[in-house]
């Protein structure tokens, strides 16, 4: 895939083939991709918990909330559609920098792009039960859970579309149950001086 196609098609995916494992060399590539991300003052304060054991992934799943803009029965992956891998993005509270969110965004972007380059879809997740995750995964109180990213082989497409109106940017499913994600046009968001 050329870069622009990779960027356009690396969307959020929310239904996966739960029985297709992600090979470890692809996971390694995703983790190497985060290593190449920029980080303010090159501080590299983020750490990653890679959960690939199917039993643990299944225990994490109920602690994640999907597609806030859709009814639960439509937006939440059903049995057989769950992700096969979670990566939790962590940092030590005592070492937090004011740029941690930017650093996390860049690292997550690199990981999800590297995954998609190999056909692995992802969903970046902030709507997660941090208390439940902390307990389940024995994460100590000094470690903050920034976010989680779910990965798996997608069972649907997700297409960028032009919004019908700039007032409604809600994503929706088309008649084939594929996601449509309205993105503002370049003209809508830029000013050239
Ligand atoms: C910081 C962040 C947090 C998100 N949290 C969730 C989440 O908890 N659950 C979910 O289903 N999607 C979540 N998403 C996915 C967004 O809903 C998605 O990015 C948005 O609808 C646009 O779709 P796109 O990623 O295909 O462009 C999150 C995305 C970002 C960037």
């Amino acid at each position: 895939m050329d870069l622009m196609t990779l960027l356009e098609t690396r969307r959020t995916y929310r239904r996966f083939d739960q029985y297709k494992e992600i090979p470890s060399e692809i996971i390694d590539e995703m983790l190497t991709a985060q290593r190449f991300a920029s980080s303010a003052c090159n501080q590299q304060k983020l750490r990653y918990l890679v959960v690939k054991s199917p039993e643990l992934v299944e225990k994490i799943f109920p602690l994640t909330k999907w597609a806030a803009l859709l009814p639960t029965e439509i937006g939440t992956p059903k049995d057989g559609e769950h992700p096969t891998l979670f990566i939790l993005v962590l940092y030590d509270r005592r070492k937090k920098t004011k740029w941690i969110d930017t650093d996390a965004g860049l690292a997550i972007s690199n990981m999800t792009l590297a995954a998609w380059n190999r056909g692995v879809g992802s969903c970046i997740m902030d709507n997660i039960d941090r208390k439940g995750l902390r307990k389940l995964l024995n994460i100590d109180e000094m470690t903050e859970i920034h976010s989680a990213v779910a990965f798996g082989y997608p069972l649907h497409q997700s297409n960028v579309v032009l919004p019908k109106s700039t007032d409604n940017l809600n994503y929706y499913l088309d008649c084939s149950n594929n996601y449509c994600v309205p993105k503002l046009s370049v003209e809508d968001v830029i000013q050239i001086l």
Side-chain angles (χ1 to χ4, degrees):
M1 252 189 283
D2 69 89
L3 180 60
M4 292 310 283
T5 308
L6 188 76
L7 293 173
E8 183 175 349
T9 55
R10 187 230 56 94
R11 305 256 58 78
T12 293
Y13 293 90
R14 295 192 179 90
R15 300 193 306 272
F16 306 98
D17 182 345
Q18 194 173 333
Y19 307 106
K20 191 170 171 190
E21 203 184 314
I22 304 172
S24 50
E25 63 266 26
I26 295 184
I27 300 176
D28 289 348
E29 222 168 88
M30 290 154 49
L31 297 171
T32 302
Q34 70 70 30
R35 177 171 179 247
F36 296 149
S38 295
S39 154
C41 295
N42 205 26
Q43 289 288 293
Q44 302 169 66
K45 296 298 185 192
L46 296 168
R47 298 294 180 267
Y48 303 89
L49 188 57
V50 181
V51 183
K52 53 184 182 176
S53 121
E55 295 75 27
L56 263 185
V57 168
E58 274 306 279
K59 285 183 182 166
I60 289 179
F61 181 75
L63 304 173
T64 56
K65 298 259 182 316
W66 297 72
L69 300 179
L70 294 174
T72 311
E73 65 277 14
I74 293 176
T76 302
K78 297 187 173 36
D79 286 345
E81 300 175 346
H82 294 184
T84 54
L85 170 77
F86 279 103
I87 297 183
L88 268 61
V89 182
L90 310 173
Y91 62 88
D92 184 328
R93 278 184 191 160
R94 294 161 297 190
K95 298 178 188 163
K96 184 183 180 188
T97 71
K98 66 176 181 173
W99 309 288
I100 204 82
D101 291 332
T102 307
D103 283 6
L106 290 165
I108 290 169
S109 187
N110 275 18
M111 281 195 286
T112 56
L113 279 167
W116 185 237
N117 189 42
R118 299 295 215 103
V120 174
S122 58
C123 182
I124 302 164
M125 309 202 78
D126 181 63
N127 199 351
I128 51 178
D129 175 355
R130 288 177 172 77
K131 210 170 148 196
L133 287 168
R134 184 179 296 289
K135 194 166 169 218
L136 174 69
L137 302 167
N138 289 320
I139 297 171
D140 66 77
E141 287 298 326
M142 279 304 142
T143 302
E144 190 67 50
I145 305 173
H146 181 276
S147 46
V149 191
F151 294 92
Y153 288 96
L155 291 175
H156 65 89
Q157 292 174 19
S158 182
N159 299 305
V160 170
V161 295
L162 275 173
K164 290 186 186 109
S165 132
T166 50
D167 292 338
N168 182 1
L169 300 176
N170 290 3
Y171 51 83
Y172 55 91
L173 299 185
D174 65 14
C175 55
S176 307
N177 270 344
N178 291 316
Y179 276 78
C180 298
V181 190
K183 297 285 184 196
L184 295 171
S185 69
V186 174
E187 293 72 25
D188 282 333
V189 296
I190 61 152
Q191 186 184 16
I192 298 179
L193 300 177

